[in-house]
Amino acid sequence: MFETMKAAYAKSDKGDAAGYTNWRRYSTQAYVSATHGGRYVQNWGNTAAKAYGNYERAGTFPQGAKLAKDSFAVNAKGDVSVGPLFLMEKMQAGFNPDSDDWRYTLVMPNGSVFGTTNGAGSDNVAFCIGCHQSVTPDQDNVLLLPEEYRVR
């Protein structure tokens, strides 16, 4: 399934959609994320996002920090399908005060971009901002994976 997901997202014009698998994976295995449509997800972060591995003690992320969640679903018959790729990138100060300067991008399994903060389809990813702002300010809008799936 991993290779299928990589191939699906690589159809996107977003470079990170093809390259996120070169980042560090912070989840030990795929797990169900209720906040991402009940899909199985894995967490990835680029070098600038290395503080993610400190989890609750990560603090504020620097400009250029990028996080990704790839996803897949399993139906009642056991059929597996590729889900969206969820990307977030910390932008320069003032980029979008409502998102605390995070840019959210949602890449569909066919490579199309459903939306990007301050870009095409921005309204389609506005829900990301609301959900991510529900965490404590100490977490800089970053939702953390369950402890039992964290890479230590």
Side-chain angles (χ1 to χ4, degrees), residues 73-95:
V74 181
N75 69 18
K77 294 180 182 179
D79 299 324
V80 181
S81 60
V82 176
L85 174 65
F86 303 90
L87 298 167
M88 55 189 292
E89 178 180 3
K90 188 70 171 208
M91 305 300 287
Q92 72 278 2
F95 168 77

Side-chain angles (χ1 to χ4, degrees), residues 4-71:
T4 304
M5 289 191 302
K6 281 176 47 175
Y9 306 140
K11 296 174 190 171
S12 169
D13 64 353
K14 300 291 180 192
D16 292 329
Y20 78 95
T21 58
N22 295 321
W23 302 348
R24 181 171 181 199
R25 189 177 69 178
Y26 287 95
S27 48
T28 57
Q29 66 184 52
Y31 64 94
V32 176
S33 173
T35 56
H36 294 86
R39 297 176 183 89
Y40 287 89
V41 299
Q42 295 191 97
N43 300 58
W44 305 79
N46 72 354
T47 303
K50 67 183 175 189
Y52 185 78
N54 295 328
Y55 305 109
E56 285 81 3
R57 297 180 317 278
T60 301
F61 287 80
Q63 180 180 337
K66 297 178 182 183
L67 299 168
K69 281 188 169 128
D70 52 16
S71 71

Side-chain angles (χ1 to χ4, degrees), residues 27 51 68 90 98 108 116 123 139 152:
S27 48
K90 188 70 171 208
D98 291 340
M108 301 306 289
T116 300
D123 289 344
Q139 290 179 216
R152 298 287 173 190

Side-chain angles (χ1 to χ4, degrees), residues 62-146:
Q63 180 180 337
K66 297 178 182 183
L67 299 168
K69 281 188 169 128
D70 52 16
S71 71
F72 64 92
V74 181
N75 69 18
K77 294 180 182 179
D79 299 324
V80 181
S81 60
V82 176
L85 174 65
F86 303 90
L87 298 167
M88 55 189 292
E89 178 180 3
K90 188 70 171 208
M91 305 300 287
Q92 72 278 2
F95 168 77
N96 187 310
D98 291 340
S99 69
D100 292 321
D101 300 320
W102 284 98
R103 177 173 62 194
Y104 297 91
T105 300
L106 181 57
V107 178
M108 301 306 289
N110 66 2
S112 66
V113 176
F114 187 68
T116 300
T117 305
N118 287 7
S122 188
D123 289 344
N124 295 337
V125 294
F127 66 93
C128 299
I129 295 170
C131 188
H132 279 260
Q133 285 189 328
S134 69
V135 299
T136 69
D138 308 5
Q139 290 179 216
D140 194 16
N141 295 284
V142 175
L143 296 167
L144 301 173
L145 63 158

